[in-house]
Amino acid sequence: QERLVESGGGLVQPGGSLRLSCAASGSFLSINAMGWYRQAPGKERELVAAISAGGSRTVADSVKGRFTISRDNAENTLYLQMNSLKPEDTAVYYCNRCTWYPSCPVPNFGSWGQGTQVTVSS
């Protein structure tokens, strides 16, 4: 099974920025649509942004204009650039394969990585 490793989270003040990375291997990123998901305490995991194998991108309404998803196939890395962060963005962020792009329902099967914690507070 593909191993996905998230990194780049941390503590940031409102209005700040972070760039999250998701390391994959081989051709995984180039042949699959990928998504960034997040889960806040007590809430359901939700899709934040996704990118298709062909490079089309979609983002959740709550982060439009602030978050950008991208990938570097040569480096086998998926990115999430997060700008103008708000306290409500606080969550654990995960990457995973997206099925049925662009809806990318939260995967019910397979393994999730450890995720990376993003905390936005003063």
Side-chain angles (χ1 to χ4, degrees):
Q1 298 296 316
E2 181 70 17
R3 181 185 178 191
L4 300 172
V5 181
E6 301 93 343
S7 63
L11 175 64
V12 65
Q13 295 185 356
S17 298
L18 286 172
R19 188 181 72 167
L20 307 184
S21 298
C22 172
S25 63
S27 60
F28 192 81
L29 292 182
S30 66
I31 65 175
N32 290 293
M34 298 294 297
W36 281 100
Y37 302 81
R38 69 184 180 188
Q39 186 167 25
K43 296 184 178 180
E44 296 294 315
R45 195 164 298 183
E46 63 178 355
L47 178 71
V48 177
I51 184 168
S52 74
S56 298
R57 296 183 288 188
T58 187
V59 298
D61 288 341
S62 60
V63 304
K64 283 183 179 178
R66 301 189 297 118
F67 291 10
T68 302
I69 187 170
S70 63
R71 67 179 174 222
D72 186 332
N73 291 337
E75 296 294 329
N76 298 317
T77 304
L78 181 74
Y79 298 102
L80 183 67
Q81 180 65 48
M82 310 165 66
N83 299 326
S84 301
L85 283 161
K86 303 175 180 179
E88 52 262 45
D89 295 318
T90 296
V92 178
Y93 285 71
Y94 306 86
C95 62
N96 212 331
R97 180 174 178 267
C98 163
T99 58
W100 297 102
Y101 181 90
S103 61
C104 302
V106 178
N108 292 318
F109 305 103
S111 298
W112 292 87
Q114 290 295 110
T116 185
Q117 176 72 51
V118 172
T119 302
V120 185
S121 71
S122 299

